[in-house]
Amino acid sequence: MAEKTPLLVIGDALLDRDLTGSADRLAPDAPVPVVSECAERVRPGGAALTAYLAARDGRDVTLVAGVGDDPASRELRRLLEPWLTLIPLPLTGALPEKTRVLAQDSPVVRLDRGGGRAREATAEARAAIRDAPAVLVSDYGRGAAAVLRDVLAERPPLVWDPHPRGGPPVPGTRLVTPAEKEAHGFAAREDGPSQGLRAAAHDAAALVRQWRAAAVAVTLGARGALLSYGEHPLLVPAPASHRGDSCGAGDRFAATAAGLLADGTLVGEAVEGAVGAATAFVAAGGAGALPRADSRPTAPPPDTDDPYALAARVRAAHGTVVAAGGCFDLLHAGHVGLLQAARRLGDCLVVCVNSDASVRRRKGDGRPVNPLADRVRVLRALACVDAVAVFDEDTPERLLADLRPDVWVKGGDYAGADLPEAELLQEWGGQAVLLPYLDGRSSTALMARAAEGVR
C-alpha cells in the first residue's frame, strides 16, 4: 500500500463533551426532562476533530490551532498527543468548550463556554504552511485562519471547510466544503430558489465565482453532496441513509476529501469518497461513538471490505451471516430484489461473485459483458450488500467453506434443481434457501433483446 501524504490542518480547536444519560420524567419545577445517570466522554472538537480523524486514517498529521494553558487546553493537548503534532498559536482567553447533554442518545441541550481566539501567527506556523505537502483549513471563525491568511494565500489549500463565523477561503483553494445552510448564507442571493437541490446548485455556482475557488462541494446530509465547478453540478448521492448522530460528519467529510486529494485523487473521486466516509461515520454513531482519543488502538480498524472479517464480527456478536451468489453480469431488477430479500434474512449480506474466467467457462465466449471490477463496484453500491467476495472456480464451495455463512441464498430459478452447496452448508449447521425471482428477468434475455434491437 502506498504511503499516505502528510496533512497539515489549520483551524480553530474546541474541546467537546458529551453527557449521555436517560430521561423518563420531567422536572417538578419546570417542563424540562431530567437526565440521570450521565456518563461523560471528552473528545477533540472543531479543527482538532478534523485533524484527529485524519490521523486515525493512518496519516501523518500536524495541527496548527489556538491552544493555551487553561484546563480545557491542557485536556485537549493530552487527547491529541498520541495522535499528531500540535503547533499552538497564542490564545486570548480560554479554549472554547462545547458540551452536549443527551438523553437516549438524542441531544437535549448544548452548553458553550470559553471565548478564546488565536491572537497572532508564529514563525513556526508560517514555516509549517510553506513546507506542507497538503493543507486543510477548518475555519470556525476564531482567528486561526485569519492570522495566517497572508501565508495561506501564497499556497492555496487543498480543502477549506468554512463555517458561518469564519471568513471566505483564499482564492485558488481547490475544494471548499460548506454545508447546505452555510452555502446559502455565504451566497447571500436575493434571487433564485431558497431551498432544495436547485438552490444548492445556484449557491455552489455563485460561490465558485465569489470565492474564486476551483470547486465547491455543498454537503447535503443524508442526500450526499453537490459538486460544482461553476456550471453544471455533479450530485454525489449518499450510498445509504442513516438516522445516527450527525455531529462531526462535516469534519469527517473534509478530512477524507483532503486526504484523498493529497494522495492524488481527482476532485470528483475525492468528493465521492468523502460522501461514503461521512455516511459510514453517521451510521457508526458520529463523533459521540468514536473510540477514546487518549490511547492508540491496539489493532488497526477493521477492513469493512473484507468479507471474512465481516462474517467473523457478525458471528462474534451472535448475528446471522447471509451469503448469495451469482455472475451479476448485467445487474437487473431480479438481482436487486433477490439481494434485498436476502439481506433481510440476517445481519449482513456477503455476495459471492464469479470471476471473469469463471463466467466465461459457464456462459461462453463474449461473457461477461462487464468485467469483474465493474460488477463488484455496482454490487458494493447497493445498500443491501455489506461485502463482496470473488471466486474463480465454477461453483463457490471452497469460498463458502472459508466464509461459513448461516444462510446461503439462490434465486427461485434453481427450483427443482440440485443445489450442490446445500449439503456443504450442513457441515456447520447452515441452511441453503431459494427466494422468489422476478419472472422473465435474466442477463441473457436482456442481451438477446438488446441484440435484436441492434439488428
Side-chain angles (χ1 to χ4, degrees):
M1 180 181 294
E3 187 173 346
K4 295 182 177 181
T5 303
L7 182 65
L8 177 70
V9 178
I10 298 165
D12 305 297
L14 312 173
L15 184 67
D16 285 355
R17 300 178 188 273
D18 278 354
L19 300 175
T20 305
S22 59
D24 53 15
R25 62 190 178 93
L26 296 177
D29 54 341
V32 295
V34 176
V35 182
S36 57
E37 303 297 328
C38 284
E40 182 181 52
R41 293 196 65 177
V42 184
R43 63 175 181 275
L49 176 59
T50 305
Y52 170 68
L53 291 171
R56 288 195 66 89
D57 292 339
R59 197 173 296 277
D60 182 7
V61 176
T62 300
L63 171 65
V64 176
V67 180
D69 194 37
D70 56 281
S73 292
R74 291 195 294 271
E75 177 68 5
L76 181 65
R77 288 174 186 265
R78 184 185 70 83
L79 295 174
L80 295 178
E81 184 177 8
W83 292 95
L84 52 82
T85 300
L86 174 64
I87 298 178
L89 298 174
L91 192 69
T92 61
L95 185 80
E97 295 181 66
K98 180 180 70 178
T99 301
R100 297 191 307 165
V101 180
L102 301 98
Q104 283 84 29
D105 296 321
S106 295
V108 174
V109 67
R110 195 181 101 177
L111 311 173
D112 290 0
R113 65 178 177 180
R117 294 178 56 86
R119 185 174 69 246
E120 60 186 6
T122 64
E124 184 181 13
R126 290 175 176 273
I129 295 172
R130 293 190 173 105
D131 294 340
V135 176
L136 159 64
V137 174
S138 179
D139 183 12
Y140 279 77
R142 294 182 181 270
V147 299
L148 291 166
R149 188 173 182 85
D150 58 341
V151 68
L152 287 169
E154 297 173 8
R155 287 189 60 219
L158 285 180
V159 173
W160 192 294
D161 189 23
H163 295 81
R165 295 182 180 180
V170 298
T173 297
R174 191 169 181 191
L175 178 66
V176 189
T177 60
E180 186 173 10
K181 289 183 179 179
E182 294 167 347
H184 193 66
F186 288 130
R189 294 180 301 101
E190 295 182 359
D191 60 325
S194 61
Q195 58 185 358
L197 286 178
R198 187 161 175 259
H202 277 253
D203 295 336
L207 292 175
V208 169
R209 296 187 292 270
Q210 179 179 316
W211 286 335
R212 288 182 285 165
V216 170
V218 178
T219 56
L220 305 173
R223 290 173 292 162
L226 193 76
L227 173 62
S228 175
Y229 299 96
E231 291 185 357
H232 307 296
L234 171 69
L235 177 63
V236 181
S241 179
H242 301 286
R243 295 184 178 181
D245 186 359
S246 62
C247 179
D251 301 299
R252 174 71 277 180
F253 184 96
T256 301
L260 290 172
L261 289 174
D263 292 340
T265 301
L266 298 175
V267 172
E269 294 173 334
V271 171
E272 184 179 356
V275 168
T279 301
F281 182 79
V282 173
L290 284 172
R292 293 183 62 87
D294 48 6
S295 62
R296 284 193 178 274
T298 56
D303 183 356
T304 55
D305 291 330
D306 184 343
Y308 304 101
L310 171 65
R313 292 198 302 275
V314 171
R315 275 195 294 269
H318 306 290
T320 298
V321 178
V322 182
C327 300
F328 302 102
D329 192 3
L330 293 179
L331 195 71
H332 53 72
H335 291 141
V336 174
L338 174 76
L339 296 177
Q340 289 175 330
R343 180 60 177 84
R344 291 193 291 268
L345 297 177
D347 299 288
C348 74
L349 173 62
V350 178
V351 176
C352 304
V353 62
N354 300 70
S355 70
D356 289 345
S358 176
V359 175
R360 195 171 300 113
R361 288 193 301 269
R362 291 190 58 195
K363 305 287 187 179
D365 293 338
R367 300 288 298 272
V369 174
N370 289 310
L372 177 65
D374 289 358
R375 291 184 284 131
V376 169
R377 181 173 183 179
V378 170
L379 287 167
R380 283 178 172 163
L382 296 177
C384 58
V385 175
D386 297 288
V388 178
V390 178
F391 62 96
D392 196 44
E393 299 78 17
D394 292 341
T395 56
E397 280 97 333
R398 189 167 72 172
L399 189 157
L400 292 175
D402 293 335
L403 191 65
R404 300 172 72 85
D406 301 293
V407 181
W408 170 245
V409 172
K410 295 295 288 187
D413 53 351
Y414 276 79
D418 290 334
L419 279 178
E421 304 91 353
E423 185 175 348
L424 176 65
L425 265 79
Q426 293 177 9
E427 295 182 7
W428 57 82
Q431 178 64 52
V433 299
L434 296 172
L435 289 179
Y437 210 58
L438 285 177
D439 187 37
R441 270 76 168 187
S442 77
S443 299
T444 302
L446 285 173
M447 283 184 285
R449 289 201 297 271
E452 290 174 3
V454 171
R455 289 197 296 269

